mmCIF file of all heavy atoms in Angstrom:
data_model
loop_
_atom_site.group_PDB
_atom_site.id
_atom_site.type_symbol
_atom_site.label_atom_id
_atom_site.label_comp_id
_atom_site.label_asym_id
_atom_site.label_seq_id
_atom_site.Cartn_x
_atom_site.Cartn_y
_atom_site.Cartn_z
ATOM 1 N N PRO A 160 31.624 16.230 -11.653
ATOM 2 C CA PRO A 160 30.262 16.909 -11.747
ATOM 3 C C PRO A 160 29.352 15.904 -12.375
ATOM 4 O O PRO A 160 29.741 15.051 -13.292
ATOM 5 C CB PRO A 160 30.558 18.097 -12.704
ATOM 6 C CG PRO A 160 31.857 17.774 -13.444
ATOM 7 C CD PRO A 160 32.658 16.896 -12.480
ATOM 8 N N ARG A 166 18.934 9.363 -19.911
ATOM 9 C CA ARG A 166 18.662 8.307 -18.995
ATOM 10 C C ARG A 166 19.596 7.107 -19.077
ATOM 11 O O ARG A 166 20.015 6.551 -18.035
ATOM 12 C CB ARG A 166 17.240 7.852 -19.267
ATOM 13 C CG ARG A 166 16.857 6.495 -18.550
ATOM 14 C CD ARG A 166 15.354 6.202 -18.618
ATOM 15 N NE ARG A 166 15.126 4.915 -18.061
ATOM 16 C CZ ARG A 166 13.911 4.507 -17.671
ATOM 17 N NH1 ARG A 166 12.811 5.322 -17.704
ATOM 18 N NH2 ARG A 166 13.705 3.332 -17.116
ATOM 19 N N PRO A 239 32.587 -5.597 5.916
ATOM 20 C CA PRO A 239 34.021 -5.495 5.939
ATOM 21 C C PRO A 239 34.642 -4.919 4.647
ATOM 22 O O PRO A 239 35.839 -4.390 4.725
ATOM 23 C CB PRO A 239 34.444 -6.998 6.013
ATOM 24 C CG PRO A 239 33.232 -7.832 5.476
ATOM 25 C CD PRO A 239 32.038 -6.950 5.942
ATOM 26 N N ALA A 270 26.818 -1.311 -0.362
ATOM 27 C CA ALA A 270 25.763 -1.559 -1.384
ATOM 28 C C ALA A 270 25.041 -2.875 -0.927
ATOM 29 O O ALA A 270 25.537 -3.528 -0.102
ATOM 30 C CB ALA A 270 26.301 -1.691 -2.723
ATOM 31 N N THR A 287 15.222 -8.457 15.571
ATOM 32 C CA THR A 287 13.922 -8.004 15.977
ATOM 33 C C THR A 287 13.167 -9.015 16.797
ATOM 34 O O THR A 287 12.344 -8.713 17.626
ATOM 35 C CB THR A 287 13.134 -7.575 14.692
ATOM 36 O OG1 THR A 287 13.038 -8.680 13.827
ATOM 37 C CG2 THR A 287 13.815 -6.428 13.964
#
Side-chain angles (χ1 to χ4, degrees):
R166 172 172 170 157
T287 60

